[in-house]
Amino acid sequence: MNILVYLEHDGSEVKKASLSALSFAQALTHGPDDSVRFLLIGENLDKVASQAAKYAPTLVLEAMELAHPIAERYALVIADAVESQQADMLVAASTSQAKDIISRSAALLGGAMASDVVAHARVGEELQLDRPIYAGAVIATVVLKGSPQIITVQASAYEASPPSDSTFAVTPLSPNLDNVPQRVQIIDVETKRSSRPDVTEADVVVSGGRALRTSEDFEQLVGGLADALHGATGSSRALVDGGITPNELQVGQTGKIIAPEVYVALGISGAVQHLAGMKNSKTVIAINNDSEAPIFEEADYGLVGDVYAIVPDLIEQLNSG
Amino acid sequence: MKILVPAKRVPDTDQKIEVCEDHSGIETGHLPFVVNPFDAIALEEAIRIREDRVDAEIVAVSVGDLEYEEQLRTALAMGADRAIRVDCIESLDPWNTACVLKALVEQESPDLVLMGKQAVDGDCNQTGQFLAAMLDWPQATFASRIKCLEDKLLVDRETDAGIETVELPFPAVITVDLRLNEPRYASLPGIMKAKKKEIAEISMGDLGVQNAEKMHTVSVRSAKTARKRVMVSSSCELAEKLRESLKST
């Protein structure tokens, strides 16, 4: 089995989610003939490449035209690399970038793709893959027909692969850019600035829902509790729709799918699409004024009451040790 | 200008989904069906583009059995100019759906395909990207704002890192995200008018497409998680539980 793992990065750091994709790929390979390598794409990649080499052998595709992850360009060079390396499988973490790029690559490689995989099993010759459907209410077991197979995995379902004691080889590839289209141009990128950890990578996530009435209240209560727990903040779709929180905080089927060690839901009722985004969390704690709220069905510990009354008290108790 | 909008038939998202006893699929007998909510957003956007550019024609398309006419009728009532149903009794995976859409694009020559970023049944998030690759068209996925200019499109895309604005030429595939717009309800005159519009029917064979499964579903099961469901009665107790949970991490 020859597997390429698409390595996502921000220009200086490898994305932790890609290490989960790596561990999925490593779980599929055992023999001396098997290989798992990172595929790293961009411009000025020395720093990321040396980081990547702590985890796996790394193939590097560098070019000015590849400075930004634009799907029509990346998909083509990724498909080329899969073909030229004769890979049997292309794996990536299921991030918004992979959904954009890897899916496009998959079509160039024959379309045998499963996205958002959360578990796998070898049954005879077949690789069976579990993936959530219907907003996470149902798990489908699927098999892919054809080769190469293209698989994206939910990072929350696989532990990040640990670094090795040795350093693996970094091999530059020269991308064929002759046919790479340049029709799509990035005009502007508006990135978030937050001192808190990323919601997809934090061990503790505190999320707020409809009970929070303003951005200030959200910051004070949800942000305050997150800071007391050294965690990240998340949000239900209602607050994003209401303009109270930015969209990158949204946890749910159509937002981020996360599985922190501890998830705290403040004033979130627990709509199906929200539960799909957090139901794999290890411990779930919920506060809601409605004792019938569905979030309590999905919680380990629940408290019925007003978040405005309870949370300041909770923050004070946690801060006082 | 012509805009093609695929509209998939999916169970209403408010409904509880139950798995069949033999685990071959879900129970659909009792379920109300709707236009995939993301496709409805795409259709709404197409209608808004036509409100700015009167020459635009909107063609709603669907791949499915006769029941899919219900969703195409909804699309016509919302404002699509005409509708095409590609007759198919099987449920197609994203690859085969994209193959059918590609054949339709070749037949209809639209300037723009506007579609949902995913269907809320299979949640694959693949078909739009597959179609763009097959056509070798530029793509913009997860659109939260679309500006349709004379000779190009400006699209705000929702990414994990924030909002990215891209410029792309026609023809293009755009997949839409939740925050793009709030789809309108079909008006009574719209519903009456839609009843008179014809829904064209084509077979997969007419389009030269044969279903060749790439992703095969072996079985499905209900996703249940086991939670402790302990209710506490004070913030003091909850703080204690929080500390315990953090310690065990």
Side-chain angles (χ1 to χ4, degrees), chain A residues 25-95:
Chain A
Q26 287 168 334
L28 296 179
T29 50
H30 305 287
D33 296 336
D34 291 339
S35 96
V36 177
R37 289 171 295 171
F38 271 139
L39 182 60
L40 173 60
I41 306 176
E43 191 188 24
N44 301 326
L45 294 171
D46 292 352
K47 189 171 168 212
V48 189
S50 63
Q51 231 186 83
K54 289 180 201 152
Y55 297 90
T58 303
L59 302 175
V60 182
L61 281 166
E62 266 182 308
M64 206 175 59
E65 293 88 338
L66 302 174
H68 302 289
I70 296 174
E72 62 175 10
R73 300 184 197 179
Y74 271 45
L76 209 58
V77 296
I78 291 169
D80 277 351
V82 168
E83 279 169 353
S84 68
Q85 299 299 315
Q86 297 175 331
D88 310 297
M89 189 182 282
L90 171 65
V91 176
S94 181
T95 61

Side-chain angles (χ1 to χ4, degrees), chain A residues 100 141 187 253 297-298 313, chain B residues 123 141 165 218 225 229 235:
Chain A
D100 186 41
T141 300
I187 307 288
Q253 177 204 15
E297 290 287 301
E298 198 53 57
D313 202 28
Chain B
D123 284 335
T141 50
T165 306
V218 178
T225 43
R229 295 191 195 131
S235 58

Side-chain angles (χ1 to χ4, degrees), chain A residues 58-302:
Chain A
T58 303
L59 302 175
V60 182
L61 281 166
E62 266 182 308
M64 206 175 59
E65 293 88 338
L66 302 174
H68 302 289
I70 296 174
E72 62 175 10
R73 300 184 197 179
Y74 271 45
L76 209 58
V77 296
I78 291 169
D80 277 351
V82 168
E83 279 169 353
S84 68
Q85 299 299 315
Q86 297 175 331
D88 310 297
M89 189 182 282
L90 171 65
V91 176
S94 181
T95 61
S96 68
Q97 192 182 108
K99 285 169 185 166
D100 186 41
I101 293 170
I102 301 300
S103 305
R104 189 173 172 120
S105 270
L108 302 174
L109 293 165
M113 176 170 185
S115 45
D116 295 314
V117 166
V118 293
H120 68 277
R122 279 247 177 245
V123 180
E125 285 294 289
E126 259 178 12
L127 176 62
Q128 296 194 344
L129 303 162
D130 282 358
R131 56 180 306 274
I133 57 175
Y134 294 99
V138 176
I139 302 287
T141 300
V142 302
V143 292
L144 295 173
K145 309 268 183 190
S147 177
Q149 301 190 344
I150 293 89
I151 296 168
T152 66
V153 300
Q154 279 188 11
S156 56
Y158 290 90
E159 289 273 340
S161 182
S164 160
D165 295 333
S166 52
T167 300
F168 296 97
V170 173
T171 312
L173 295 181
S174 37
N176 176 6
L177 299 168
D178 296 347
N179 300 317
V180 169
Q182 304 207 21
R183 300 168 293 203
V184 178
Q185 307 292 336
I186 297 179
I187 307 288
D188 190 30
V189 181
E190 191 186 303
T191 48
K192 55 181 171 172
R193 288 274 170 267
S194 173
S195 54
R196 299 194 182 106
D198 191 291
V199 66
T200 57
E201 301 195 341
D203 286 336
V204 180
V205 173
V206 182
S207 273
R210 211 179 284 277
L212 282 307
R213 291 187 287 266
T214 66
S215 303
E216 290 73 30
D217 293 352
F218 180 90
E219 179 52 34
Q220 198 184 342
L221 299 173
V222 181
L225 185 55
D227 291 343
L229 299 168
H230 307 290
T233 54
S235 158
S236 76
R237 190 177 133 192
L239 294 193
V240 177
D241 284 350
I244 292 169
T245 50
N247 56 39
E248 60 267 14
L249 291 193
Q250 189 197 326
V251 173
Q253 177 204 15
T254 58
K256 305 280 163 69
I257 294 172
I258 60 173
E261 296 290 327
V262 179
Y263 186 81
V264 186
L266 303 179
I268 291 176
S269 63
V272 174
Q273 76 86 21
H274 183 78
L275 300 180
M278 47 62 75
K279 68 199 301 176
N280 291 322
S281 306
K282 193 165 166 205
T283 302
V284 175
I285 292 171
I287 304 174
N288 200 294
N289 61 6
D290 175 8
S291 63
E292 301 290 311
I295 189 73
F296 289 126
E297 290 287 301
E298 198 53 57
D300 294 291
Y301 303 105

Side-chain angles (χ1 to χ4, degrees), chain B residues 4-215:
Chain B
L4 200 75
V5 183
K8 189 175 185 184
R9 175 182 164 90
V10 299
D12 192 329
T13 49
D14 290 338
Q15 301 294 315
K16 196 165 164 48
I17 302 292
E18 303 278 1
V19 168
C20 299
E21 259 178 44
D22 67 357
H23 294 275
S24 62
I26 62 153
E27 297 282 2
T28 55
H30 64 294
L31 290 176
F33 281 78
V34 296
V35 174
N36 174 37
F38 290 106
D39 293 341
I41 294 170
L43 177 59
E44 172 65 33
E45 195 66 15
I47 296 166
R48 290 184 190 186
I49 291 171
R50 192 185 54 194
E51 284 165 354
D52 281 343
R53 298 172 60 148
V54 282
D55 68 319
E57 185 193 25
I58 302 168
V59 185
V61 301
S62 217
V63 191
D65 60 19
L66 205 55
E67 293 195 303
Y68 274 65
E69 291 208 349
E70 184 190 346
Q71 279 61 50
L72 287 173
R73 207 56 79 182
T74 303
L76 289 169
M78 276 176 71
D81 294 297
R82 56 191 178 88
I84 303 170
R85 180 174 66 85
V86 179
D87 189 47
C88 179
I89 50 166
E90 298 158 295
S91 163
L92 300 184
D93 62 20
W95 171 263
N96 288 284
T97 306
C99 287
V100 171
L101 292 176
K102 176 178 181 263
L104 276 173
V105 165
E106 280 162 358
Q107 187 172 310
E108 289 286 331
S109 310
D111 304 281
L112 181 61
V113 178
L114 257 180
M115 57 196 287
K117 68 169 183 180
Q118 70 196 68
V120 298
D121 50 0
D123 284 335
C124 282
N125 202 320
Q126 295 171 359
T127 307
Q129 294 89 317
F130 281 10
L131 176 64
M134 288 175 182
L135 292 166
D136 189 23
W137 283 11
Q139 75 186 40
T141 50
F142 322 140
S144 62
R145 191 184 67 104
I146 299 173
K147 209 162 169 210
C148 189
L149 304 172
E150 201 49 50
D151 57 344
K152 64 183 176 193
L153 291 149
L154 285 175
V155 179
D156 283 359
R157 300 185 53 237
E158 294 195 5
T159 72
D160 286 343
I163 302 285
E164 175 186 285
T165 306
V166 296
E167 183 187 295
L168 64 165
F170 294 102
V173 175
I174 298 180
T175 76
V176 307
D177 217 318
L178 266 184
R179 274 161 288 271
L180 180 61
N181 62 47
E182 189 92 36
R184 70 194 62 192
Y185 289 102
S187 66
L188 191 58
I191 294 168
M192 299 310 286
K193 251 167 78 185
K195 283 188 177 157
K196 295 200 192 85
K197 292 181 190 169
E198 198 193 335
I199 297 175
E201 186 189 326
I202 321 178
S203 73
M204 301 249 298
D206 290 343
L207 290 171
V209 181
Q210 223 179 355
N211 184 16
E213 205 177 38
K214 298 284 183 169
M215 187 178 73

